[in-house]
Amino acid sequence: YAEALSRLDALQKEGQDSYLLALRRGWLLYLNGRYADSVEAYRKAVAAAERSAEARVGLSLPLMALHRWADAEQVCRELLAIAPGNYTGMSRLAWILFSSGRYADAEQAYREVLVQYPSDNDLRSGLGWSLLRQGRTKEARAAFDEVLQVVPGHVSAGQGIAALD
């Protein structure tokens, strides 16, 4: 990744600047753990292609890595305004809301994405955790049990059951 990034940086120094260059730099910076720089690169990509869903998908990652939950939420909401029903935007928004401690909002977001993707066990486990954090243990157990019926070794659902006991 570092070599690819240095090649893109050389192109940028030569005065080449484009949406694709900014987008790719954002991804490579993210993979290199340079999250703040990744945010800057992805923001350039968003500015270059204002209706780009993919640039916002990318931008959400370093914002989440930096725990900048409010910014990440805004980016996911912008993404969903451009691309309603986008799986990545919907699932990341649910996680962002959960990570922000907004468990009722996270529950709603998990339920919305599960309408379109009902077999997603990771999201169903997230729903279980949202319910558990709200003290709704019976519903949380049902969500975790549903996951464990089809994926017996699901780590998160197993941890959820353990937290209930």
Side-chain angles (χ1 to χ4, degrees), residues 106-152:
E107 174 196 352
Q108 180 182 347
Y110 279 119
R111 288 189 188 282
E112 287 175 15
V113 71
L114 282 165
V115 167
Q116 294 182 37
Y117 302 93
S119 69
D120 191 313
N121 292 301
D122 292 332
L123 293 175
R124 190 160 310 281
S125 182
L127 172 62
W129 280 102
S130 296
L131 293 164
L132 178 61
R133 294 288 168 91
Q134 293 177 73
R136 294 163 55 195
T137 57
K138 185 177 179 178
E139 293 171 89
R141 183 177 299 277
F144 294 135
D145 283 342
E146 190 172 351
V147 172
L148 292 169
Q149 285 175 2
V150 293
V151 187

Side-chain angles (χ1 to χ4, degrees), residues 11 25 48 51-52 56 58 100 109 123 131 148:
L11 288 174
R25 281 190 82 249
R51 303 267 315 147
S52 170
R56 286 171 175 82
S100 300
L123 293 175
L131 293 164
L148 292 169

Side-chain angles (χ1 to χ4, degrees), residues 7-28:
R7 289 183 184 193
L8 291 180
D9 287 343
L11 288 174
Q12 196 174 39
K13 286 179 184 175
E14 292 173 9
Q16 295 185 38
D17 204 11
S18 69
Y19 168 78
L20 290 175
L21 179 66
L23 187 74
R24 186 69 175 154
R25 281 190 82 249
W27 176 240
L28 292 170

